[in-house]
Protein backbone atom coordinates (compact mmCIF):
# COMPACT_ATOMS: atom_id res chain seq x y z
CA UNK A 1 0.00 0.00 0.00
CA UNK A 2 1.31 3.45 -0.79
CA UNK A 3 0.47 6.72 0.82
CA UNK A 4 -1.62 9.03 -1.31
CA UNK A 5 -2.33 12.60 -0.35
CA UNK A 6 -5.84 13.76 -1.14
CA UNK A 7 -6.02 17.30 -2.47
CA UNK A 8 -9.57 17.78 -1.19
CA UNK A 9 -8.41 17.55 2.42
CA UNK A 10 -5.34 19.74 1.97
CA UNK A 11 -6.51 22.33 -0.52
CA UNK A 12 -6.50 25.21 1.97
CA UNK A 13 -2.92 24.59 3.14
CA UNK A 14 0.03 26.22 1.41
CA UNK A 15 2.35 23.20 1.71
CA UNK A 16 3.24 21.34 -1.47
CA UNK A 17 1.32 18.04 -1.44
CA UNK A 18 4.51 16.04 -2.13
CA UNK A 19 6.03 17.43 1.08
CA UNK A 20 3.01 16.40 3.14
CA UNK A 21 3.83 12.72 2.56
CA UNK A 22 6.94 13.20 4.72
CA UNK A 23 4.84 13.62 7.88
CA UNK A 24 3.56 10.05 7.72
CA UNK A 25 5.39 7.53 9.88
CA UNK A 26 4.60 4.29 8.07
CA UNK A 27 3.50 4.01 4.46
CA UNK A 28 1.15 1.17 5.31
CA UNK A 29 -0.54 3.07 8.15
CA UNK A 30 -0.83 6.58 6.72
CA UNK A 31 -4.39 6.24 5.36
CA UNK A 32 -5.51 5.02 8.77
CA UNK A 33 -3.53 7.43 10.96
CA UNK A 34 -4.37 10.56 9.00
CA UNK A 35 -7.97 9.91 7.97
CA UNK A 36 -10.10 12.97 8.62
CA UNK A 37 -7.29 15.36 9.46
CA UNK A 38 -7.06 18.83 8.02
CA UNK A 39 -3.89 20.89 7.89
CA UNK A 40 -3.62 24.45 9.22
CA UNK A 41 -0.72 26.85 8.96
CA UNK A 42 -0.23 28.22 12.46
CA UNK A 43 -1.50 28.80 15.96
CA UNK A 44 -0.90 32.19 17.55
CA UNK A 45 -1.21 33.46 21.10
CA UNK A 46 -3.06 36.75 20.54
CA UNK A 47 -2.53 37.91 24.13
CA UNK A 48 1.26 37.56 23.95
CA UNK A 49 1.46 38.14 20.19
CA UNK A 50 3.61 35.00 19.75
CA UNK A 51 3.37 32.12 17.31
CA UNK A 52 2.87 28.89 19.26
CA UNK A 53 3.05 26.52 16.27
CA UNK A 54 3.90 27.02 12.61
CA UNK A 55 1.99 23.95 11.45
CA UNK A 56 -1.09 22.31 12.91
CA UNK A 57 -3.44 19.46 12.10
CA UNK A 58 -7.14 19.63 12.97
CA UNK A 59 -8.88 16.45 14.15
CA UNK A 60 -12.66 16.71 14.13
CA UNK A 61 -14.03 13.23 13.45
CA UNK A 62 -14.14 10.32 15.87
CA UNK A 63 -11.43 8.26 14.15
CA UNK A 64 -8.82 11.03 13.96
CA UNK A 65 -9.55 12.06 17.57
CA UNK A 66 -9.31 8.45 18.76
CA UNK A 67 -5.93 7.88 17.09
CA UNK A 68 -4.46 11.26 18.00
CA UNK A 69 -0.68 10.92 18.23
CA UNK A 70 -0.64 7.16 18.80
CA UNK A 71 2.09 5.32 16.87
CA UNK A 72 3.58 8.57 15.57
CA UNK A 73 7.12 9.88 15.65
CA UNK A 74 7.94 12.98 17.64
CA UNK A 75 6.57 16.00 15.79
CA UNK A 76 7.23 19.70 15.72
CA UNK A 77 3.70 20.56 14.67
CA UNK A 78 0.53 20.88 16.74
CA UNK A 79 -2.52 18.65 16.83
CA UNK A 80 -5.88 20.35 17.43
CA UNK A 81 -8.79 18.31 18.77
CA UNK A 82 -12.11 20.09 18.20
CA UNK A 83 -15.23 18.93 20.05
CA UNK A 84 -18.91 19.73 19.36
CA UNK A 85 -19.43 21.43 22.71
CA UNK A 86 -17.56 22.45 25.83
CA UNK A 87 -16.94 19.50 28.15
CA UNK A 88 -14.35 18.04 30.47
CA UNK A 89 -11.78 16.51 28.11
CA UNK A 90 -9.95 13.31 29.06
CA UNK A 91 -6.75 12.49 27.15
CA UNK A 92 -4.30 9.62 27.23
CA UNK A 93 -0.77 9.08 25.96
CA UNK A 94 -1.07 5.33 25.28
CA UNK A 95 1.28 4.33 22.44
CA UNK A 96 2.80 7.82 22.30
CA UNK A 97 6.53 7.62 23.00
CA UNK A 98 7.33 11.28 23.72
CA UNK A 99 5.98 13.99 26.08
CA UNK A 100 3.89 16.95 24.88
CA UNK A 101 2.28 20.12 26.22
CA UNK A 102 -1.50 20.46 25.98
CA UNK A 103 -3.66 23.60 25.95
CA UNK A 104 -7.39 23.39 26.69
CA UNK A 105 -9.48 26.18 25.14
CA UNK A 106 -13.09 27.20 25.70
CA UNK A 107 -15.51 28.03 22.86
CA UNK A 108 -14.03 31.56 22.66
CA UNK A 109 -10.53 30.06 22.30
CA UNK A 110 -9.35 31.29 25.69
CA UNK A 111 -7.03 28.94 27.59
CA UNK A 112 -8.85 27.39 30.57
CA UNK A 113 -6.29 24.69 31.49
CA UNK A 114 -2.71 23.70 30.61
CA UNK A 115 -0.93 20.37 30.99
CA UNK A 116 2.83 20.68 30.54
CA UNK A 117 5.13 17.70 30.02
CA UNK A 118 2.29 15.20 29.45
CA UNK A 119 4.32 11.98 29.68
CA UNK A 120 3.94 8.80 27.59
CA UNK A 121 1.38 6.27 28.87
CA UNK A 122 -0.18 8.86 31.22
CA UNK A 123 -3.79 10.09 31.54
CA UNK A 124 -5.12 13.62 32.12
CA UNK A 125 -8.56 15.17 32.55
CA UNK A 126 -9.00 18.92 32.02
CA UNK A 127 -9.76 20.88 35.17
CA UNK A 128 -12.39 22.98 33.38
CA UNK A 129 -14.72 22.45 30.46
CA UNK A 130 -13.13 23.04 27.07
CA UNK A 131 -14.04 22.78 23.39
CA UNK A 132 -10.49 22.43 22.02
CA UNK A 133 -7.41 20.52 23.15
CA UNK A 134 -4.15 21.43 21.41
CA UNK A 135 -1.17 19.09 21.63
CA UNK A 136 2.15 20.92 21.24
CA UNK A 137 5.81 19.92 21.28
CA UNK A 138 7.08 19.56 24.85
CA UNK A 139 8.39 22.86 26.27
CA UNK A 140 6.31 25.08 23.97
CA UNK A 141 4.20 26.50 26.82
CA UNK A 142 7.26 27.58 28.80
CA UNK A 143 9.13 28.84 25.74
CA UNK A 144 6.23 31.05 24.58
CA UNK A 145 5.12 32.20 28.06
CA UNK A 146 1.60 30.92 27.37
CA UNK A 147 -0.73 31.10 30.40
CA UNK A 148 -4.29 30.35 31.44
CA UNK A 149 -6.54 33.18 30.24
CA UNK A 150 -4.56 33.87 27.04
CA UNK A 151 -6.57 34.14 23.81
CA UNK A 152 -5.48 31.75 21.04
CA UNK A 153 -5.96 32.24 17.29
CA UNK A 154 -6.36 29.08 15.24
Amino acid sequence: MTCEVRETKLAHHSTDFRQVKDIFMYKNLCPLLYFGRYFWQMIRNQTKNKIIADDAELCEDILSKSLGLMFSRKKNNALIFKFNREKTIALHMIFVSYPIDVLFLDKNKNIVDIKENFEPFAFYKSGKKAMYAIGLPNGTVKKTGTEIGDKIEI
Side-chain angles (χ1 to χ4, degrees), residues 49-138:
N49 196 24
K50 289 188 177 182
I51 294 174
I52 295 174
D54 290 324
D55 291 307
E57 299 172 44
L58 177 65
C59 296
E60 289 186 286
D61 65 61
I62 190 77
L63 181 60
S64 64
K65 283 191 269 190
S66 297
L67 289 171
L69 293 170
M70 291 192 315
F71 310 109
S72 67
R73 291 185 196 169
K74 189 172 182 179
K75 299 180 176 191
N76 288 326
N77 61 320
L79 190 60
I80 304 166
F81 296 90
K82 182 180 178 189
F83 298 90
N84 295 332
R85 60 182 171 79
E86 288 185 328
K87 63 181 186 173
T88 301
I89 299 173
L91 298 176
H92 70 81
M93 292 288 282
I94 305 272
F95 301 117
V96 180
S97 61
Y98 51 92
I100 62 171
D101 290 348
V102 183
L103 303 177
F104 296 91
L105 314 179
D106 64 14
K107 64 183 177 189
N108 299 316
K109 298 182 183 138
N110 293 312
I111 299 174
V112 294
D113 193 10
I114 297 174
K115 173 62 177 162
E116 292 183 75
N117 198 33
F118 191 20
E119 294 284 339
F121 296 94
F123 295 86
Y124 186 78
K125 188 174 176 181
S126 62
K128 295 194 175 181
K129 291 184 178 185
M131 191 168 189
Y132 300 87
I134 303 175
L136 299 163
N138 198 32

Side-chain angles (χ1 to χ4, degrees), residues 139-150:
T140 300
V141 170
K142 187 175 280 185
K143 184 173 79 173
T144 60
T146 300
E147 301 172 315
I148 291 176
D150 288 358

